[in-house]
Amino acid sequence: MDRIKEKMNQLRLEADEASSKAEELQSRVKVLEQENLQKEQEITSLQHRNGNLESEVEKLEAKIADLKKAASEGEQAVGSSEALSRRLQLLEEEAEEADKTLREANEKLRQTDVKAGHFERKVQALEAERDNWEAKYEEMAKKYATVQKELEEFQAEIGNI
């Protein structure tokens, strides 16, 4: 009788531990999913920014081409040519700065993508571990029910004696 009670207590402890572990894993999964969502939002933001910067680079390159054309046509007027050259230089510097910003944004996007993949793998691993613990918990619950039934039958037999 004491062994059965001891076994039942042990099963209860194991079931409580499994339940606790499952809750802990679920909270870890939620945290990782939230981090993953944040990374995905950051990726979307960086992609949008990347698109904006690319269009800005195209506009600036078009302006540069226009200004170069205007500069070549305006060689007759030295004063206007110097002004256009200064403007061209400023636009080239802006284009270089935009290109640098674009490269940095692309690098951040790549790093974020790598991190997102890493977090997705972590989430998958934790979900598998959670499923494993849930299966163990269900198995232990079945064993507990079986032992409980056996105990009741045993008590009924003892009561009949």
Side-chain angles (χ1 to χ4, degrees):
M1 184 72 167
D2 288 336
R3 290 180 62 196
I4 292 174
K5 285 182 182 179
E6 186 176 305
K7 183 67 175 181
M8 284 178 44
N9 286 336
Q10 182 181 5
L11 287 173
R12 281 189 191 122
L13 285 175
E14 289 177 8
D16 289 345
E17 288 174 2
S19 176
S20 169
K21 183 70 174 180
E23 289 173 6
E24 177 185 328
L25 291 173
Q26 286 176 346
S27 73
R28 284 177 54 194
V29 166
K30 285 181 183 179
V31 167
L32 289 173
E33 287 174 342
Q34 182 64 31
E35 289 176 1
N36 191 26
L37 180 62
Q38 289 173 347
K39 295 300 179 184
E40 288 175 357
Q41 289 172 348
E42 186 177 338
I43 287 171
T44 303
S45 173
L46 288 173
Q47 286 174 336
H48 178 71
R49 184 175 176 200
N50 187 19
N52 289 342
L53 290 173
E54 286 177 347
S55 65
E56 185 177 322
V57 165
E58 290 174 5
K59 289 177 187 176
L60 290 174
E61 288 174 348
K63 281 184 182 180
I64 288 172
D66 291 343
L67 290 174
K68 283 182 179 179
K69 183 179 177 183
S72 67
E73 292 174 354
E75 287 179 5
Q76 298 165 0
V78 175
S80 65
S81 176
E82 290 176 2
L84 288 175
S85 293
R86 278 186 257 123
R87 177 124 190 236
L88 177 62
Q89 183 181 2
L90 289 174
L91 287 173
E92 286 176 344
E93 290 172 3
E94 287 178 10
E96 289 175 5
E97 185 64 32
D99 190 44
K100 178 182 174 186
T101 305
L102 177 62
R103 277 187 260 120
E104 290 172 357
N106 281 335
E107 180 61 23
K108 284 183 182 178
L109 178 62
R110 186 193 62 75
Q111 290 174 355
T112 303
D113 194 31
V114 169
K115 287 180 183 177
H118 175 69
F119 284 122
E120 286 174 0
R121 286 188 298 277
K122 272 189 174 179
V123 166
Q124 289 172 351
L126 287 173
E127 287 175 345
E129 189 176 346
R130 180 201 63 208
D131 292 343
N132 187 23
W133 279 106
E134 286 175 354
K136 286 181 181 178
Y137 174 76
E138 290 173 8
E139 181 182 329
M140 294 305 289
K142 287 178 185 177
K143 285 181 181 178
Y144 176 76
T146 303
V147 169
Q148 184 69 30
K149 185 177 178 183
E150 290 175 2
L151 175 63
E152 290 172 4
E153 290 172 1
F154 180 72
Q155 287 175 342
E157 287 178 13
I158 289 177
N160 290 338
I161 292 179

